[in-house]
Amino acid sequence: MGQLFLNKVQKFYGDFEVLKSVQLDVKNGEFVVFVGPSGCGKSTLLRMIAGLDETSAGDIVIDGVRVNDLPPVKRGIAMVFQSYALYPHMTVFENIAFPLRVEKMEEEKLKAKVENAARILHLDQRLQQKPGMLSGGQRQRVAIGRAIVREPKIFLFDEPLSNLDAALRADMRIELAKLHRQLKATMIYVTHDQVEAMTMADRIVVLNNGDIAQTGAPLELYHKPANIFVAGFIGNPKMNFLPVICTAISDAGLTVDYKGQTLTVPATPRPDAVGQTLTLGVRPEHIHLASGDISLTVVPSVIERLGAQTVAYASLDGESENFCATLPGSVGVRPEQPLLAGINAVDCHLFDEAGIAFERRVELTDIDMTLLAPTALA
Ligand SMILES: Nc1ncnc2c1ncn2[C@@H]1O[C@H](COP(=O)(O)OP(=O)(O)OP(=O)(O)O)[C@@H](O)[C@H]1O
Ligand SMILES: [Mg+2]
């Protein structure tokens, strides 16, 4: 088993509150990814779960047992860091075997465990080599092997792939997803990489300033961000935001005005919305080069041709690069040539003055709730 419950977990460094009453329930076998801006407390939270940092208040509960006062080795947790933390003078075999040596495991059993981990991680041919002879990806696999042999209830990963080049990261991402399926272990994974978060997670926890901004399945966060912070954080390039005035609400949603153009966004209104200045959000990938429910003229300043897509960073109303559109790869756009950017109401998000989203009425065919968490075990 590997259930984790964080109950009002807080962390202070002196007077500085790094984590503010974090509440989170992780199911056995779930793959949970923590994301958030640098310094928001991701590593601190992971280290507290591992027992490497003390908890200032609240409870850390693993499989029903409060572990706040247990030392790291007694928590049934293994942590893999960005820096592989391998012993350079030891062979791959001995690096993987290290925690078992500490436990004084009998040689035959130890050998079987190390060989099994090496097979899972495709390191069988490397066992007698030293870390210095390995690539970054292979070294990270050794570090993961060292975690696997401990058979932890919960794996904690702190940006394990961030030292690897793009191709290796993509390979390791797939390897880790397979490993999760194979071991069926609970995994908590910190990353800065949106693709890793979106593709690996059963559930993403977005942290901001030591608070959970939203927890949800990747597509739930993408389609239904609960607030402007998550809307801007999930998705790349970032969502565009425009100030609008709410002029009416109805069963169809909220009608808003942007400089004389109106559109009705299918979202659940709140009665006090009328008259308020709201923020309309639309993702770059939802901009069309044609008229939409509202149409804007924007002037691209930078065009990035990525092959499959073209990203135009443009200015709206003379403000530099405050608007972004992700367009088809072969589109004939040029810097300084004005574009017609069409926005359709169904693609829009709306946020109130406090940045809280009005719940979107998105088609469930886009987000089939039954398919959101395929690998989480109830
Ligand atoms: N030992 C410490 N003493 C004082 N402050 C600390 C200590 N460790 C971390 N902090 C502070 O706590 C905050 C959270 O740090 P943490 O390392 O958890 O951030 P993070 O989300 O992992 O960031 P990054 O994405 O850059 O790794 C930061 O403001 C950091 O300066
Ligand atoms: Mg960190």
Side-chain angles (χ1 to χ4, degrees):
M1 290 290 278
Q3 271 175 311
L4 171 72
F5 178 49
L6 302 179
N7 181 37
K8 299 188 181 144
V9 165
Q10 262 181 307
K11 178 71 181 175
F12 284 91
Y13 282 117
D15 289 342
F16 176 48
E17 191 177 28
V18 180
L19 291 166
K20 302 166 187 162
S21 201
V22 171
Q23 190 89 13
L24 181 70
D25 213 341
V26 177
K27 293 191 198 79
N28 183 38
E30 205 175 5
F31 198 123
V32 171
V33 175
F34 291 171
V35 296
S38 188
C40 71
K42 304 178 295 292
S43 296
T44 304
L45 189 54
L46 222 55
R47 294 172 58 82
M48 284 160 68
I49 297 167
L52 301 172
D53 274 349
E54 269 184 39
T55 304
S56 306
D59 313 299
I60 298 178
V61 180
I62 296 174
D63 290 339
V65 177
R66 186 176 186 275
V67 298
N68 289 48
D69 302 320
L70 287 185
V73 288
K74 296 258 173 77
R75 294 190 182 195
I77 275 175
M79 186 149 167
V80 178
F81 300 91
Q82 174 181 359
S83 62
Y84 322 119
L86 302 180
Y87 298 104
H89 59 286
M90 289 185 191
T91 61
V92 167
F93 184 99
E94 287 304 327
N95 265 287
I96 296 178
F98 189 78
L100 307 180
R101 296 261 183 241
V102 173
E103 281 177 30
K104 304 207 184 334
M105 183 177 281
E106 178 236 318
E107 190 65 29
E108 207 160 310
K109 203 167 154 198
L110 173 148
K111 191 159 175 272
K113 282 194 186 239
V114 173
E115 284 172 355
N116 182 47
R119 193 176 39 73
I120 292 172
L121 296 166
H122 311 294
L123 289 169
D124 342 30
Q125 305 305 315
R126 308 273 173 188
L127 284 171
Q128 294 318 316
Q129 294 180 346
K130 302 263 172 73
M133 298 169 72
L134 305 181
S135 71
Q138 288 163 342
R139 285 181 214 183
Q140 192 52 289
R141 275 187 263 157
V142 176
I144 295 168
R146 193 162 57 190
I148 290 177
V149 292
R150 296 182 51 200
E151 296 177 5
K153 295 175 185 170
I154 303 175
F155 284 83
L156 304 177
F157 293 96
D158 196 353
E159 304 197 42
L161 308 185
S162 54
N163 281 344
L164 308 180
D165 68 41
L168 209 46
R169 282 176 88 121
D171 289 348
M172 282 298 290
R173 196 170 73 220
I174 294 166
E175 290 300 321
L176 279 172
K178 279 192 207 155
L179 184 70
H180 178 238
R181 269 212 307 277
Q182 217 170 337
L183 301 177
K184 298 186 172 58
T186 308
M187 295 189 172
I188 301 181
Y189 190 100
V190 171
T191 183
H192 271 113
D193 185 312
Q194 291 252 346
V195 179
E196 281 175 25
M198 294 300 284
T199 57
M200 296 168 88
D202 292 317
R203 221 153 36 113
I204 296 177
V205 176
V206 184
L207 289 163
N208 183 29
N209 277 331
D211 254 334
I212 293 182
Q214 191 176 359
T215 301
L219 292 184
E220 197 179 344
L221 298 194
Y222 178 82
H223 290 289
K224 291 188 163 193
N227 50 60
I228 214 163
F229 176 80
V230 174
F233 193 82
I234 298 285
N236 190 26
K238 181 173 182 270
M239 188 183 278
N240 295 296
F241 296 113
L242 304 172
V244 293
I245 310 274
C246 181
T247 54
I249 56 174
S250 65
D251 290 346
L254 296 97
T255 302
V256 297
D257 175 284
Y258 179 76
K259 298 188 176 174
Q261 300 187 67
T262 61
L263 86 172
T264 299
V265 177
T268 305
R270 295 191 278 275
D272 62 350
V274 178
Q276 276 194 30
T277 300
L278 308 181
T279 302
L280 182 85
V282 62
R283 296 194 182 279
E285 53 272 37
H286 295 142
I287 304 296
H288 305 282
L289 289 184
S291 345
D293 293 334
I294 61 173
S295 305
L296 311 173
T297 302
V298 300
V299 183
S301 46
V302 177
I303 308 274
E304 291 180 343
R305 293 202 180 271
L306 304 176
Q309 293 170 331
T310 296
V311 182
Y313 295 91
S315 82
L316 173 66
D317 300 329
E319 281 189 47
S320 66
E321 287 151 39
N322 59 343
F323 193 85
C324 180
T326 302
L327 306 167
S330 55
V331 76
V333 291
R334 292 217 172 80
E336 310 310 328
Q337 282 190 0
L339 299 177
L340 185 69
I343 296 173
N344 291 328
V346 288
D347 295 322
C348 289
H349 300 248
L350 273 179
F351 306 92
D352 67 14
E353 285 168 345
I356 308 299
F358 291 89
E359 192 182 345
R360 293 179 78 211
R361 298 190 191 134
V362 280
E363 294 286 333
L364 285 188
T365 47
D366 284 351
I367 325 170
D368 185 338
M369 293 297 176
T370 60
L371 294 176
L372 285 180
T375 59
L377 306 175

